[in-house]
Amino acid sequence: MADTMELRDIEVWDGNMAASHALRQAQVDVVAAYPITPSTPIVENYANFTANGYVDGEFVMTESEHGAMSCCIGAAAAGGRVATATSSQGFALMVETLYSASGMRLPIVLNVVNRALGAPLNVNGDHSDMYLGRDSGWIQLDAYCPQEAYDMNFIAFRVTEDHDVRLPAIVNQDGFMTSHTAQGVKTLSDEVAYKFVGEYKPMNDMLDLDHPVTHGVQTEEDWHFEHKARQQHALMTIVIPKIEAAFADFEKLTGRKYNIVETYNMEDAEVAVVCMGTSVETAREVAVEMREQHGIKAGVIGIRVFRPWPLQQIAAALKDVKAVGLLDRSSPHGAMGTLYNEVSGALFNTDTKAVLTNYIYGLGGRDLTKAHLTAIFKELKANADAGKPTTPLQQYIGLRGPKLSFF
Amino acid sequence: MSEMKKIKNLKEFSTSADRFEGANLLCPGCAHSIIVREVLNATNDDLILAASTGCLEVCTAVYPYTSWDASWIHIGFENGSSAVAGAEAMYKALKTKGRLKQPDRTPKFVAFGGDGATYDIGFQWISGCFERGHNMMYVCLDNEVYANTGGQRSSSTPIGASATTTPAGRVSYGEKRNKKDMMAIMAAHGAPYVAQVAPNKWKDMVAKIQKGFEAEGPVYINAMSACTTEWKFAPEDTIAISDLATDSLVFPLYEIIDGTKLNITYRPKNIIPVRDYLGAQGRFKHLFTKQNEYLIDEWQARIDKQWDYLQRREEASV
């Protein structure tokens, strides 16, 4: 029996510590992991909990991230609670197995501490890894601060292990900006946290020795399509209501309210930015300043659930806006940014005629400053007034040297 | 407690606990199915199985069918070892936490992989599992070639074999490198038990599998699996070819205990020339030409040297 840890009501934790405590409190049965900056402290903290008797599950320190996720898959199929953490190159190494985990409908919680992908090698935060996983069939939640990194893990366990869902879930947080920045985090007691997550209920578990199961079969053109379609059906119709239900229960328990799409000052907003991660908090501050100092009715939309993509919620949140800036923290490598493309897709068949422009920012941990956001909101206001783009469709923000833009 | 079978004869053995169904898509004459059956039938304990992508996997779990009457998992080409290691970790966790559904039973954890999945692409994962000491058995079905994808060379393909990526041709005698010594590498991990087996020597094999199941920690079994399709012999000759392999000492049968103590477990009464083994297979056909015949002599010298080395190791008890 693992020891209970007494926590203060508010602890000063960085995002990694917050995620580590969530895994400990969920009493995960198997954590199989491999260290990589900036998610390493999650694994180290968890190892410390294990070494001091606060964890009675298995902690498997594998030889690679691919091995880590492979072990997680085997463990999840065996029938118990499973979690791990990674970043960047490690996430990229896992990608093959991410598709296996979701295709095999196995509940696993993966903390991704977002970091750039090389080359050039870079250890700092951007969303390249998050975007790399976007077609992998995993649920993707996004935390903007340590408190949310803590809370989203509990939500993730609740949703991924639901027998109607059985799809693995990623909890994203920004490398360093969230993972290594300590803030006050309101805690749950071990007992309350575990009660919220609930007992693990096995399904098709290999360790039920009286009911052997075959996991990871071969299908070709005869059945592959149906399996993938069934997975998409679950993602598109079941997951969002389940997340909403988990959010509602979590609000009852903690008073902290989360939404599929986080809207801020959107009620009467004329212009808005859409972003993820720590940028959401910066943008909210600037949006207030735009109203108070510049007379621009600015709002902010934070994506809380990146997968499944909340197309209808996005369309509803943006329906009365005249200009939207889509802020992508990943190199689109020969295309428009992902948020630009996906928000365009959400609005295209609606009556909304908002002018959409794309800003690429913060690659490899480059800061997104309030000055950058102020300039963006002013450009959006000009677009709103003109009823058409007054700037190139895609611009690079905070880049050294001459301005870089396309289209 | 672990339950090992008393096996009296081949008939009883081959028809006992049928956890691997004859209904599978493996080639007629494939040694894989014989080996798998011999491994599974060596114990009455419950089994948790994994397979890496390969012939065994694609031929035994094609939706909506399965040939496995024991829990079985496949993820990818390189990670059958890690899949079963993850399941073993979960078993330990649930045992600690008192959540096993059948707490009085002791399942055995076994991963199967071909030589491509073992010697090449899955090597790192296997090494990781062995270093971490999972209580599992890894069985390599060693047919010395990527058979599932049509006969490309692996690092287990021996010198002179013609594979589709090292074909014999006007200026090439085929594969240029000798096979990797996986037995030595796995023994060097300090594994409690490492053994080479062949399906034709079934008593030797069952004894080794049972020893492996009794060992605490990771066990490596290198199983010679004669491949009718890629070695190019008639499907009904699988056991005859296997006899040539073990009796020519190309596949010597031995075990290494605790990483050091080597025992030879089969000494042929009449050692046959390597030439006879090579000559029985289409993949070595091109060696029997004036141009390449020197390679057969080199083969014999290499096998003699290997046998001498194994005997000296055994004698020295190291």
Side-chain angles (χ1 to χ4, degrees):
Chain A
M1 186 74 183
D3 287 344
T4 302
M5 196 181 278
E6 295 299 328
L7 301 174
R8 283 163 291 199
D9 292 347
I10 297 178
E11 293 278 354
V12 180
W13 285 343
D14 61 22
N16 279 331
M17 186 57 90
S20 314
H21 276 285
L23 300 190
R24 180 186 62 75
Q25 293 185 315
Q27 296 182 27
V28 177
D29 295 313
V30 173
V31 169
Y34 186 84
I36 181 170
T37 303
S39 66
T40 300
I42 296 182
V43 179
E44 290 174 336
N45 297 336
Y46 197 79
N48 249 319
F49 298 150
T50 308
N52 289 291
Y54 295 108
V55 166
D56 58 359
E58 288 293 309
F59 175 59
V60 185
M61 203 69 247
T62 58
E63 79 299 328
S64 70
E65 291 87 351
H66 195 294
M69 186 50 67
S70 301
C71 272
C72 284
I73 291 171
R81 184 161 292 153
V82 177
T84 186
T86 194
S87 296
S88 179
Q89 312 294 134
F91 182 83
L93 188 57
M94 269 185 192
V95 165
E96 184 202 23
T97 51
L98 296 180
Y99 280 75
S100 303
S102 65
M104 291 160 79
R105 303 296 295 269
L106 295 172
I108 299 169
V109 172
L110 166 61
N111 279 271
V112 181
V113 180
N114 300 129
R115 168 185 150 185
L117 284 168
L121 189 67
N122 177 295
V123 297
N124 283 293
D126 75 24
H127 294 156
S128 303
D129 45 12
M130 186 201 298
Y131 285 13
L132 176 62
R134 69 184 190 265
D135 290 352
S136 65
W138 284 59
I139 297 162
Q140 289 211 49
L141 306 173
D142 192 29
Y144 312 152
C145 62
Q147 179 74 62
E148 295 176 2
Y150 182 62
D151 295 350
M152 285 307 128
N153 267 281
F154 299 124
I155 302 294
F157 281 114
R158 269 283 278 266
V159 175
T160 185
E161 291 174 7
D162 189 300
H163 281 195
D164 294 333
V165 176
R166 297 276 296 184
L167 286 162
I170 287 169
V171 176
N172 291 290
Q173 60 171 292
D174 276 359
F176 292 104
M177 292 292 281
T178 299
S179 68
H180 287 63
T181 305
Q183 294 183 349
V185 174
K186 290 178 187 159
T187 64
L188 302 175
S189 72
D190 284 7
E191 193 189 343
V192 168
Y194 184 70
K195 206 175 154 209
F196 178 81
V197 174
E199 296 277 336
Y200 184 87
K201 294 180 189 66
M203 182 179 179
N204 299 331
D205 44 330
M206 291 174 77
L207 285 173
D208 182 355
L209 303 172
D210 290 329
H211 302 95
V213 282
T214 293
H215 280 278
V217 294
Q218 177 92 358
T219 61
E220 292 304 334
E221 69 284 1
D222 50 355
W223 282 109
H224 185 86
F225 201 2
E226 280 72 19
H227 279 96
K228 291 292 186 187
R230 197 168 168 189
Q231 196 179 330
Q232 169 77 343
H233 180 262
L235 274 162
M236 298 298 272
T237 64
I238 296 167
V239 173
I240 294 274
K242 293 285 185 186
I243 296 174
E244 281 171 333
F247 281 169
D249 286 351
F250 196 74
E251 187 191 359
K252 266 183 238 158
L253 182 70
T254 65
R256 293 193 288 280
K257 182 170 168 53
Y258 293 108
N259 301 285
I260 302 298
V261 170
E262 301 288 1
T263 57
Y264 184 80
N265 279 356
M266 287 301 296
E267 297 73 26
D268 60 342
E270 195 181 1
V271 297
V273 295
V274 180
C275 52
M276 291 190 278
T278 45
S279 309
V280 176
E281 292 194 341
T282 316
R284 284 170 180 170
E285 251 189 61
V286 176
V288 172
E289 290 177 10
M290 297 315 291
R291 285 171 183 262
E292 290 172 355
Q293 293 165 27
H294 302 278
I296 297 174
K297 288 182 186 167
V300 178
I301 291 194
I303 306 295
R304 177 69 68 201
V305 180
F306 180 52
R307 281 294 180 273
W309 178 246
L311 185 132
Q312 285 162 330
Q313 288 85 346
I314 300 266
L318 288 171
K319 77 179 161 49
D320 298 322
V321 179
K322 291 181 182 159
V324 187
L326 293 314
L327 275 55
D328 280 298
R329 195 169 196 172
S330 174
S331 173
H333 286 314
M336 297 298 284
T338 291
L339 286 183
Y340 178 91
N341 283 340
E342 301 213 357
V343 171
S344 298
L347 295 179
F348 188 75
N349 287 318
T350 69
D351 295 330
T352 306
K353 295 294 172 226
V355 181
L356 306 186
T357 45
N358 190 198
Y359 296 91
I360 306 300
Y361 76 100
L363 302 191
R366 181 68 51 87
D367 284 341
L368 178 73
T369 65
K370 287 168 77 174
H372 292 141
L373 280 155
T374 303
I376 288 170
F377 276 121
K378 284 181 179 170
E379 286 185 1
L380 297 178
K381 172 65 173 154
N383 291 351
D385 290 345
K388 61 180 184 184
T390 60
T391 61
L393 290 184
Q394 184 178 76
Q395 298 185 69
Y396 273 59
I397 300 302
L399 184 70
R400 181 186 286 116
K403 208 170 163 63
L404 184 66
S405 61
F406 304 98
F407 304 114
Chain B
M1 285 310 288
S2 148
E3 196 182 334
M4 291 302 159
K5 263 185 206 184
K6 301 280 176 291
I7 292 156
K8 292 189 195 104
N9 58 55
L10 187 56
K11 189 180 174 190
E12 184 194 306
F13 176 51
S14 63
T15 55
S16 66
D18 245 349
R19 289 182 286 196
F20 180 65
E21 302 290 338
N24 61 61
L25 302 172
L26 290 160
C27 300
C30 174
H32 278 16
S33 57
I34 307 171
I35 297 163
V36 169
R37 190 169 287 249
E38 289 180 9
V39 171
L40 270 51
N41 285 4
T43 179
N44 284 328
D45 276 332
D46 297 290
L47 290 162
I48 305 290
L49 307 168
S52 294
T53 309
C55 289
L56 182 69
E57 173 266 325
V58 301
C59 293
T60 60
V62 181
Y63 184 86
Y65 306 106
T66 182
S67 306
W68 302 95
D69 197 13
S71 278
W72 181 94
I73 184 169
H74 157 255
I75 309 173
F77 198 175
E78 66 287 74
N79 51 7
S81 56
S82 302
V84 104
E88 185 257 3
M90 183 57 74
Y91 171 75
K92 279 197 275 194
L94 298 189
K95 193 175 177 187
T96 305
K97 297 185 182 199
R99 279 173 35 217
L100 288 171
K101 288 180 179 170
Q102 298 91 2
D104 51 335
R105 281 149 72 175
T106 52
K108 300 284 180 275
F109 295 84
V110 184
F112 292 98
D115 50 284
T118 306
Y119 287 61
D120 288 345
I121 196 169
F123 184 65
Q124 167 191 314
W125 289 255
I126 297 166
S127 180
C129 288
F130 274 61
E131 172 272 318
R132 293 193 299 273
H134 291 281
N135 210 2
M136 60 180 273
M137 177 181 287
Y138 187 93
V139 180
C140 174
L141 302 164
D142 186 2
N143 58 17
E144 303 189 322
V145 73
Y146 288 97
N148 183 45
T149 48
Q152 299 79 26
R153 65 87 66 179
S154 77
S155 60
S156 173
T157 304
I159 288 181
S162 184
T164 59
T165 48
T166 50
R170 195 170 53 81
V171 297
S172 175
Y173 56 78
E175 173 59 40
K176 298 289 186 296
R177 312 281 306 168
N178 203 16
K179 70 184 284 174
K180 194 190 268 184
D181 188 353
M182 271 301 282
M183 288 285 288
I185 293 167
M186 297 320 293
H189 281 74
Y193 193 68
V194 168
Q196 183 147 279
V197 301
N200 51 315
K201 300 296 172 195
W202 66 274
K203 280 186 182 166
D204 176 79
M205 177 153 163
V206 169
K208 285 171 175 167
I209 299 299
Q210 293 190 337
K211 266 192 198 177
F213 280 146
E214 278 162 9
E216 282 292 319
V219 167
Y220 179 77
I221 304 291
N222 204 69
M224 182 201 62
S225 185
C227 177
T228 168
T229 309
E230 300 302 337
W231 294 14
K232 299 185 170 59
F233 59 81
E236 63 271 24
D237 289 343
T238 304
I239 295 299
I241 292 286
S242 303
D243 283 341
L244 290 174
T246 50
D247 289 9
S248 64
L249 299 170
V250 170
F251 271 93
L253 301 183
Y254 62 103
E255 62 187 10
I256 306 171
I257 296 164
D258 292 330
T260 51
K261 173 91 179 66
L262 189 148
N263 300 316
I264 293 168
T265 60
Y266 172 66
R267 290 166 195 281
K269 282 199 188 84
N270 300 304
I271 297 173
I272 61 158
V274 172
R275 167 181 287 270
D276 294 359
Y277 168 72
L278 301 175
Q281 304 167 58
R283 63 174 172 158
F284 296 117
K285 194 174 152 201
H286 56 282
L287 299 186
F288 294 82
T289 58
K290 205 175 169 199
Q291 185 191 343
N292 291 334
E293 201 138 29
Y294 73 98
L295 287 160
I296 299 174
D297 297 335
E298 285 183 15
W299 254 97
Q300 186 66 58
R302 191 169 54 252
I303 297 304
D304 289 348
K305 199 174 153 191
Q306 174 183 271
W307 184 237
D308 181 52
Y309 170 75
L310 293 175
Q311 293 193 103
R312 282 191 287 120
R313 280 273 307 263
E314 185 182 53
E315 248 177 63
S317 192
V318 292

